[in-house]
Amino acid sequence: MSLSHGFAQRVIDWQAADGRHHLPWQQSRDPYRVWLSEIMLQQTQVSTVIDYFERFLSRLPTVADLAQASEEEVMALWAGLGYYARARHLHACAKAVVSQWDGQFPSASQDLQTLPGIGPSTAAAIAAFCSGERSAILDGNVKRVLARYFGVDGDISQGATIKQLWALANDCLPSPALVCQQPKVMTSYTQGLMDLGATLCTRRQPACERCPLADHCVAHHTGRTQELPFKRKAAERPTRELHLLWVNHGSQVLLQRRPDKGIWGRLWCLPVFDTAGLAQDAVDNWFAKGLACTRMASIGHELTHFRLTLTPWRLALPHSAVTPAVADATGRWVCGQTLANLGLPKPIKTLLIGATPDALATDSHQ
Ligand code: SF4
């Protein structure tokens, strides 16, 4: 008998008894909420997402609200979740739903995939949750469950292995007859697979003794849960050094918007330079020659493809140093109270958040 036989029913029964039933986005089949949660949950844990999800919805309760929101507001609501391309796609997707689909998300996964930022697995999850469509998901957690259960040896970052996992994910779906009789079964199955991957079949210590799939799981029976899924080790991430110019003028701090491409795309940030010399050149050009910055302790920050070492250089400008023309040319001057409402990269927010308006004002007169 094939290993996929009975797989779906075991997942469905386990979800009913032991799965998660109280996540905020589970209380609704509204495609906007389901889509928002799915995008936020990519690469991010449930415990982190819950606050962001609720704050986002309280400010932008419908897809039309999101489509109309300014980019700045969207980035500010997203700041701290990382992977900022997701926020830009989110905004673009809301605009496309409003302009191309009359403000209603399409129900079929094939149509959902045509929208910005929605890949096949996310489209399948939205369609399964909102319309009961019989479509397979294959996010990172599900790849791990299937690779272990079926004993898939190939590198899960490679196309051939991913294709094999998609085929297995389709084989495991509840039967068409069952989905036809009970459309809600797709919600239970899809949620069950997500829950199982997140809570039992975890990366480091899978709880096989509690798993409904343990009887037939290849990795469990062959003692290979630590080996599977296999992924070739990535090369050591390089370290990159950047220098931040932290300039205060009165109670204000100077920020610049990051370019579309590169790290922290479209977020507000302290001006960033590749070398300390370039940061000092900017001070000379923007304000006056001879103003010396104070070097602060460097901060480490991990990104997906490299490690960052950020060195802030601090400067409190005299009042006479910033004319309106200089202010326009250098970026945006923001007072301390406004910082919390801007979309700032996490390490920059952490750096600035301790500098209250009082501290900024005090420093600026030193
Ligand atoms: S038995 Fe263990 S390794 Fe296999 S699917 Fe369940 S938790 Fe994962």
Side-chain angles (χ1 to χ4, degrees), residues 236-352:
E236 179 78 2
R237 273 179 298 176
T239 299
R240 192 172 157 198
E241 264 190 67
L242 291 175
H243 297 261
L244 305 168
L245 198 51
W246 180 354
V247 184
N248 297 135
H249 181 243
S251 62
Q252 297 182 308
V253 61
L254 176 64
L255 299 181
Q256 285 183 329
R257 185 164 243 169
R258 298 286 305 152
D260 282 5
K261 295 229 161 77
I263 59 166
W264 306 324
R266 305 296 294 156
L267 293 190
W268 287 97
C269 189
L270 294 175
V272 176
F273 300 91
D274 287 334
T275 65
L278 289 171
Q280 186 61 52
D281 289 348
V283 170
D284 294 348
N285 291 332
W286 291 346
F287 309 113
K289 284 197 189 297
L291 292 171
C293 302
T294 305
R295 183 187 172 127
M296 300 177 66
S298 297
I299 311 159
H301 184 63
E302 302 282 334
L303 290 172
T304 319
H305 300 298
F306 49 88
R307 297 193 165 93
L308 278 181
T309 302
L310 302 167
T311 303
W313 293 86
R314 198 155 187 196
L315 173 67
L317 287 173
H319 277 281
S320 57
V322 181
T323 64
V326 167
D328 287 348
T330 50
R332 174 174 171 184
W333 292 90
V334 177
C335 65
Q337 296 95 325
T338 312
L339 284 174
N341 299 324
L342 280 181
L344 302 171
K346 208 169 185 178
I348 306 301
K349 196 163 199 164
T350 307
L351 186 68
L352 295 180

Side-chain angles (χ1 to χ4, degrees), residues 65-75 91:
D65 294 322
L66 173 53
Q68 281 170 10
S70 66
E71 178 184 315
E72 199 155 302
E73 183 171 20
V74 175
M75 297 311 273
H91 202 194

Side-chain angles (χ1 to χ4, degrees), residues 145 148-149 196 200-202 206-208 211-214 217-220 225:
V145 173
R148 284 175 174 165
Y149 181 77
L196 204 143
L200 291 188
C201 197
T202 53
C208 302
C211 178
L213 303 174
C217 175
V218 172
H220 176 52
T225 55

Side-chain angles (χ1 to χ4, degrees), residues 45-296:
Q45 299 211 333
V46 164
S47 53
T48 305
V49 165
I50 289 176
D51 279 356
Y52 279 90
F53 178 79
E54 291 183 332
R55 196 164 48 238
F56 204 101
L57 274 183
S58 71
R59 294 268 286 276
L60 303 171
T62 68
V63 69
D65 294 322
L66 173 53
Q68 281 170 10
S70 66
E71 178 184 315
E72 199 155 302
E73 183 171 20
V74 175
M75 297 311 273
L77 287 168
W78 197 272
L81 269 179
Y83 301 95
Y84 294 99
R86 288 186 297 172
R88 294 195 296 277
H89 286 144
L90 195 83
H91 202 194
C93 182
K95 289 179 181 174
V97 168
V98 167
S99 64
Q100 297 163 23
W101 293 89
D102 209 15
Q104 305 294 321
F105 277 86
S107 55
S109 59
Q110 289 296 332
D111 293 328
L112 285 161
Q113 281 182 58
T114 65
L115 292 165
I118 301 188
S121 184
T122 303
I126 300 168
F129 285 136
C130 301
S131 342
E133 183 182 293
R134 185 177 175 275
S135 281
I137 59 165
L138 192 65
D139 62 16
N141 284 349
V142 177
K143 281 180 192 164
R144 185 169 60 249
V145 173
L146 295 180
R148 284 175 174 165
Y149 181 77
F150 288 98
V152 173
D153 292 304
D155 182 342
I156 57 155
S157 64
Q158 296 299 309
T161 314
I162 293 170
K163 200 168 162 194
Q164 184 185 2
L165 292 171
W166 269 115
L168 293 169
N170 278 306
D171 284 350
C172 287
L173 284 170
S175 71
L178 181 63
V179 175
C180 197
Q181 285 162 13
Q182 302 174 31
K184 283 195 175 162
V185 90
M186 277 311 298
T187 301
S188 315
Y189 174 71
T190 306
Q191 187 65 53
L193 211 43
M194 290 176 172
D195 292 353
L196 204 143
T199 64
L200 291 188
C201 197
T202 53
R203 204 171 307 231
R204 292 206 178 81
Q205 286 202 310
C208 302
E209 66 289 353
R210 290 189 284 125
C211 178
L213 303 174
D215 283 354
H216 303 280
C217 175
V218 172
H220 176 52
H221 284 289
T222 57
R224 296 164 70 206
T225 55
Q226 298 304 315
E227 283 166 41
L228 299 177
F230 169 68
K231 192 172 180 187
R232 209 172 302 282
K233 270 214 163 88
E236 179 78 2
R237 273 179 298 176
T239 299
R240 192 172 157 198
E241 264 190 67
L242 291 175
H243 297 261
L244 305 168
L245 198 51
W246 180 354
V247 184
N248 297 135
H249 181 243
S251 62
Q252 297 182 308
V253 61
L254 176 64
L255 299 181
Q256 285 183 329
R257 185 164 243 169
R258 298 286 305 152
D260 282 5
K261 295 229 161 77
I263 59 166
W264 306 324
R266 305 296 294 156
L267 293 190
W268 287 97
C269 189
L270 294 175
V272 176
F273 300 91
D274 287 334
T275 65
L278 289 171
Q280 186 61 52
D281 289 348
V283 170
D284 294 348
N285 291 332
W286 291 346
F287 309 113
K289 284 197 189 297
L291 292 171
C293 302
T294 305
R295 183 187 172 127
M296 300 177 66

